[in-house]
Amino acid sequence: MSSTLTGGCLCGAVRYECSARPLMSGNCHCRDCQKSSGGGFVAVMAVPAASLKIEGQVKYFESKADSGNTFSCGFCPECGARLFGKSSGEPRLAMIAAASLDDPSVYQPTLDFFTSHAQPWDPDPSYRLSGDEFGSI
Ligand SMILES: [Zn+2]
Ligand SMILES: [Zn+2]
């Protein structure tokens, strides 16, 4: 059985495959992820950049992170699906949006980032610091 991860955008213009296992899997709740996805968080996997092969044209939107690094968010110019991320601070790593996988069920998050920006309507209870008001879910 192959451990290759495969996926692509909504319209199919961009396809990718990754030959390595994710080094890190987590949900990012930062405002950039919320703004770019329209959801409460983006599920991302970090993989060695050298293991990621991309077919098709990807457009990158760059923004400055709080760390001073430039974060580039890669998306399909045809359908706008958000697929990749990379930081100037760690060029050996590439981020893949887990929901773009052909089989997103292989994603196993172990971390939540920027939970201070998590929205109260976000249903994932795993990062709640106070259980009281959300105790019933
Ligand atoms: Zn597309
Ligand atoms: Zn984020």
Side-chain angles (χ1 to χ4, degrees):
M1 207 178 87
S2 164
S3 64
T4 303
L5 299 168
T6 60
C9 68
L10 184 57
C11 74
V14 180
R15 294 286 305 165
Y16 65 84
E17 61 176 62
C18 175
S19 55
R21 286 166 169 275
L23 302 166
M24 183 284 299
S25 296
N27 300 324
C28 185
H29 304 259
C30 80
R31 289 292 292 143
D32 281 12
C33 284
Q34 292 173 355
K35 282 273 191 184
S36 66
S37 71
F41 63 89
V42 173
V44 292
M45 301 179 305
V47 298
S51 70
L52 179 63
K53 271 190 287 186
I54 299 170
E55 277 175 40
Q57 213 200 336
V58 178
K59 198 164 166 140
Y60 284 91
F61 172 76
E62 297 188 345
S63 59
K64 269 271 184 265
D66 291 343
S67 59
N69 294 324
T70 300
F71 190 81
S72 306
C73 178
F75 59 95
C76 171
E78 292 296 325
C79 69
R82 186 183 156 157
L83 298 164
F84 309 113
K86 57 188 180 186
S87 169
S88 61
E90 192 43 274
R92 288 168 301 173
L93 283 187
M95 307 285 191
I96 300 174
S100 69
L101 288 168
D102 292 333
D103 179 9
S105 70
V106 302
Y107 174 65
Q108 292 179 321
T110 56
L111 293 162
D112 284 282
F113 307 102
F114 299 107
T115 53
S116 59
H117 296 289
Q119 298 302 316
W121 40 260
D122 190 327
D124 182 351
S126 65
Y127 51 84
R128 303 278 183 218
L129 294 175
S130 160
D132 294 350
E133 53 203 302
F134 300 100
S136 59
I137 52 173

